[in-house]
Amino acid sequence: MKLNLFSKLALVLSLPALFIALSTASAQDTAPIAKTSLTPGHLRLMDDLDRPQDGYCLDILGSGQYIRFDMPITAHNCKPGLYMDEAVVIESDGRIHFPAYGACATAAGINKRALAGAAIMPRACGEQSPFLEADNLQKFTHHPDGRIELKDSNLCLTVGNESDSTFDETHRWRALFLAHCDQAMPSHSRWHFVVPK
C-alpha cells in the first residue's frame, strides 16, 4: 500500500502519548490570537453556542493513524487536554499550523483566491502542487476583535448555524468555511487561542 506524505507523517507522529493529553485539567489560558504562539493550543470559537461545557475548536477529521487530509477541517467540540488533530500553532505570518502533521489550514480556492463559502482544508504548509499554490490561501490576518480573515480577502473563518453529532453521540461538529467578514455573525466568527492546562 502506497502512503502519501500526510499518511506517512500521521503514522510517524501518532504515538499514543504524544499529544493525547498534554493536560486533562479544565483550567485554560487565553491569549489574543493576534500574537504568535509557539506553544500548541486550541483555536477556539469565543461563543460556545450549543456547547457551554467545552465550546468549538478547529479539528482535522479523524483520529490516530486515520487522519483525513482529503476532507475539510471542521469546528468540533473542544476535547479535554490537547489532541494532535486540534493542536495548532499560530505562526508569525498568520498561518494556522497543525504541528503534529506539518499541515496548515488552507482555504479551498483557485488562482490564489478563495470565494465566500469555501471550505478550509488541511494541506502541507507552503504546498506548491498542480492547481494549488497554497501560500496565499494559508495566510490569515488575526484581528484584535477575534475575526480571522484570509489575508486581504474580506473573508473570515466562520462556523455554520447547525451542529450535528459525530461518531460519538456526546460530541458535536459544525461546518467551517469562509464568509464575508461584514456578514458573518460575530458569535460564529470570533476566535481566541487557548492553551489547555
Side-chain angles (χ1 to χ4, degrees):
M1 175 174 74
K2 275 192 160 180
L3 298 176
N4 65 25
L5 174 62
F6 285 123
S7 297
K8 289 177 185 173
L9 284 171
L11 287 172
V12 169
L13 296 173
S14 62
L15 300 172
L18 182 59
F19 274 97
I20 295 300
L22 291 179
S23 170
T24 56
S26 59
Q28 298 176 340
D29 290 333
T30 302
I33 57 173
K35 294 182 179 177
T36 298
S37 168
L38 300 177
T39 301
H42 288 143
L43 192 53
R44 181 176 172 158
L45 198 63
M46 287 183 179
D47 193 310
D48 292 335
L49 301 176
D50 60 337
R51 293 295 296 198
Q53 68 274 37
D54 51 16
Y56 284 94
C57 292
L58 262 63
D59 185 283
I60 296 177
L61 184 63
S63 72
Q65 65 183 16
Y66 303 105
I67 296 295
R68 297 297 302 267
F69 297 101
D70 60 333
M71 300 288 289
I73 295 171
T74 65
H76 186 287
N77 60 279
C78 305
K79 299 166 192 147
L82 193 57
Y83 287 72
M84 291 186 291
D85 55 2
E86 287 187 347
V88 300
V89 169
I90 307 302
E91 303 285 354
S92 60
D93 60 4
R95 282 188 170 95
I96 301 165
H97 180 205
F98 291 83
Y101 307 113
C104 284
T106 308
I110 297 173
N111 282 336
K112 304 177 185 178
R113 291 187 303 276
L115 300 174
I120 307 299
M121 304 291 296
R123 303 301 303 175
C125 300
E127 180 175 338
Q128 297 286 318
S129 60
F131 302 103
L132 179 60
E133 293 181 27
D135 204 43
N136 289 14
L137 299 170
Q138 292 179 337
K139 293 181 180 172
F140 293 87
T141 301
H142 301 258
H143 295 282
D145 65 359
R147 290 175 299 133
I148 300 179
E149 176 192 358
L150 182 64
K151 191 173 180 182
D152 301 325
S153 71
N154 191 36
L155 297 172
C156 285
L157 206 57
T158 305
V159 301
N161 292 330
E162 299 175 2
S163 72
D164 198 0
S165 60
T166 66
F167 298 103
D168 181 332
E169 283 296 319
T170 66
H171 289 203
R172 306 292 289 181
W173 73 281
R174 288 173 182 259
L176 180 72
F177 55 90
L178 293 174
H180 292 287
C181 297
D182 54 353
Q183 296 174 10
M185 289 186 292
S187 61
H188 289 59
S189 60
R190 313 284 179 169
W191 303 84
H192 59 153
F193 183 78
V194 177
V195 178
K197 280 192 150 192

